[in-house]
């Protein structure tokens, strides 16, 4: 299986994120996630580790607003050169907003922090000097995997870091900046595929939901922890089914805390039935390994056997699949879990 990866992910390494209560804690999305994953993959006989091809910004701009993309590109430099607007004594190694747009806001502020809040869904997506480059390369990995499908591979894996599924058309959030899975799906649609995105990360794929909410072009489904109790809190509820022409083309499957193999697999069966009915010709899977037992950000109890069964159910759809890495933060098990999943899929 072709595995696309880039060294550039290391350039994105924010010291902290901000949690509820203003708690400044180490971010879970750290470079060793990818380093250990690739080291583990390198030991298999079937993983072919490759650098991404260069597609430039076009596939990114097919999903994200140009003003958001250029904000991400220049924000950290602006922050460094302006010294912030709060005075030279105020410095921080990351750029994070403190105010967010209220529901009926229409203005894009001029100030750096005004824009930062406008383009953010929360305080879990700090921007540092290398964020844009890392996110750009992660997106190139996703499109490279999509292209591999397009030229005949039955599956390909993009080792995306930062992840993508919380990023919307014009916002970052939850460790995500560019929506790698959406970018891959849009690119496949452009090559005349009929595409579905199945998101199995522990957290609701709000960005993917948002991006395709009003279009039937891409069927989107997300199985995740109930947002009533978990990040991203404001999206991922069962009654959100799309709007306008897109009505009926989005599905959320919120599950309770502690969900284990049996309940998860029953829900996945419902999701795959919906996918079959849509009759796609390709699929993108937002592969979050934070559903696995022992993840520090999740509380599902999916076992190794359960993970295999999930992969087999997806494999039985018989579609070409692009896998985009999303979450999965247990550094001791991430590599093995990815291998377990992909081997079962193959
Ligand atoms: N107390 C992904 O798995 N944590 N993102 C918020 C709030 C953010 C996870 C903590 C978790 C984001 C791609
Ligand atoms: Zn997640």
């Amino acid at each position: 299986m072709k595995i696309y990866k880039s060294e550039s992910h290391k350039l994105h390494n924010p010291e902290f994120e901000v949690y509820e209560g203003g708690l400044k804690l180490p971010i879970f999305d750290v470079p060793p996630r990818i380093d250990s994953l690739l080291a583990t993959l390198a030991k298999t006989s079937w993983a072919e580790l490759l650098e991404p091809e260069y597609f430039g910004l076009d596939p990114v701009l097919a999903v994200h607003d140009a003003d958001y993309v250029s904000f991400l590109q220049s924000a950290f430099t602006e922050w460094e050169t302006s010294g912030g607007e709060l005075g030279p004594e105020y410095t921080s190694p990351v750029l994070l907003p403190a105010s967010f747009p209220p529901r009926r806001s229409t203005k894009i502020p001029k100030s750096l922090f005004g824009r930062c809040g406008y383009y953010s869904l929360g305080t879990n997506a700090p921007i540092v000097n290398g964020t844009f480059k890392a996110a750009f390369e992660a997106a190139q990995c996703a499109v490279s995997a999509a292209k591999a499908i397009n030229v005949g591979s039955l599956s390909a894996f993009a080792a995306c870091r930062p992840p993508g599924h919380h990023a919307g058309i014009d916002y970052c959030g939850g460790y995500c900046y560019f929506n790698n899975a959406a970018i891959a799906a849009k690119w496949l649609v452009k090559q005349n595929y009929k595409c579905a995105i199945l998101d199995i990360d522990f957290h609701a794929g709000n960005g993917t939901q948002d991006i395709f909410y009003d279009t039937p072009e891409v069927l989107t489904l997300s199985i995740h922890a109930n947002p009533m109790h978990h990040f991203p809190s404001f999206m991922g509820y069962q009654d959100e089914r799309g709007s306008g022409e897109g009505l009926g083309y989005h599905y959320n499957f919120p599950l309770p805390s502690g969900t284990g193999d049996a309940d998860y697999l029953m829900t996945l069966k419902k999701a795959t039935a919906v996918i079959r009915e849509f009759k796609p010709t390709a699929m993108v899977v937002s592969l979050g390994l934070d559903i696995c037992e022992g993840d520090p950000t999740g509380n599902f109890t999916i076992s190794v056997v359960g993970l295999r069964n999930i992969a087999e159910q997806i494999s039985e759809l018989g579609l070409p699949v692009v896998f985009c890495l999303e979450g999965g933060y247990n550094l001791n098990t991430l590599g093995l879990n990815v291998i377990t999943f992909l081997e079962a899929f193959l």
Side-chain angles (χ1 to χ4, degrees):
M1 184 185 291
K2 289 184 165 44
I3 311 281
Y4 292 95
K5 48 91 192 176
S6 164
E7 283 285 291
S8 299
H9 78 87
K10 294 193 172 85
L11 302 171
H12 174 69
N13 191 15
E15 267 175 40
F16 61 86
E17 62 176 302
V18 173
Y19 286 78
E20 279 79 9
L23 274 182
K24 223 166 126 175
L25 292 173
I27 192 164
F28 281 110
D29 177 34
V30 289
R33 289 183 64 226
I34 299 294
D35 297 337
S36 65
L37 163 63
L38 294 178
T40 318
L41 278 169
K43 289 186 206 139
T44 69
S45 58
W46 49 265
E48 188 188 345
L49 271 53
L50 299 164
E51 293 301 315
E53 277 186 54
Y54 182 83
F55 298 89
L57 271 178
D58 282 357
V60 175
L61 290 166
V63 165
H64 294 285
D65 271 0
D67 55 352
Y68 167 64
V69 174
S70 63
F71 164 77
L72 261 192
Q73 190 158 18
S74 67
F76 196 80
T77 311
E78 275 182 59
W79 167 226
E80 278 179 322
T81 54
S82 70
E85 288 135 4
L86 306 172
E89 71 282 7
Y90 184 89
T91 55
S92 167
V94 309
L95 182 61
L96 266 183
S99 35
F100 298 92
R103 273 170 277 288
R104 278 169 289 283
S105 71
T106 55
K107 306 280 185 290
I108 303 180
K110 290 266 186 273
S111 72
L112 178 59
F113 280 103
R115 278 178 289 144
C116 195
Y118 182 84
Y119 294 123
S120 300
L121 116 96
T123 57
N124 308 108
I127 295 169
V128 295
N129 198 22
T131 299
F132 178 82
K133 171 77 172 154
F136 176 85
E137 291 296 330
Q140 305 300 308
C141 287
V143 182
S144 298
K147 185 173 171 187
I149 296 297
N150 189 221
V151 299
S153 293
L154 291 178
S155 59
F157 177 87
C160 298
R161 182 180 169 273
H165 74 146
H166 296 305
I169 294 174
D170 60 357
Y171 61 85
C172 57
Y175 310 160
C176 303
Y177 304 85
F178 291 149
N179 195 313
N180 306 304
I183 290 167
K186 259 282 206 228
W187 189 89
L188 285 168
V189 168
K190 221 171 165 192
Q191 324 303 315
N192 292 318
Y193 283 90
K194 189 171 181 195
C195 197
I197 304 179
L198 173 64
D199 187 326
I200 65 166
D201 188 277
F202 175 81
H203 306 92
N206 64 283
T208 312
Q209 169 175 339
D210 224 356
I211 287 164
F212 296 109
Y213 207 61
D214 54 13
T215 171
E217 184 175 72
V218 174
L219 173 73
T220 51
L221 310 93
S222 181
I223 306 173
H224 49 255
N226 191 341
M228 197 58 84
H229 305 291
H230 293 277
F231 188 85
S233 304
F234 305 105
M235 270 192 210
Y237 297 95
Q238 196 156 14
D239 61 354
E240 298 161 1
R241 296 295 321 284
S243 69
E245 286 178 30
L247 183 63
Y249 292 89
H250 181 73
Y251 287 82
N252 285 317
F253 299 92
L255 294 172
S257 288
T259 291
D261 297 348
D263 290 337
Y264 194 96
L265 288 162
M266 244 161 51
T267 305
L268 180 60
K269 250 204 169 63
K270 291 183 205 158
T272 52
V274 172
I275 293 170
R276 280 196 177 88
E277 208 177 315
F278 182 68
K279 297 191 170 58
T281 56
M283 183 161 71
V284 176
V285 172
S286 269
L287 183 55
L289 285 308
D290 43 10
I291 53 172
C292 297
E293 201 161 29
D295 189 272
T297 72
N299 60 10
F300 286 174
T301 57
I302 303 302
S303 71
V304 168
V305 175
L307 193 60
R308 267 192 212 115
N309 291 331
I310 293 170
E312 284 161 10
Q313 274 199 34
I314 294 172
S315 183
E316 278 163 20
L317 288 167
L319 293 165
V321 183
V322 173
F323 294 102
C324 292
L325 182 66
E326 302 287 358
Y329 306 99
N330 185 332
L331 293 174
N332 297 320
T333 54
L334 177 63
L336 282 176
N337 285 339
V338 170
I339 286 176
T340 297
F341 181 96
L342 293 179
E343 284 186 347
F345 175 85
L346 290 169

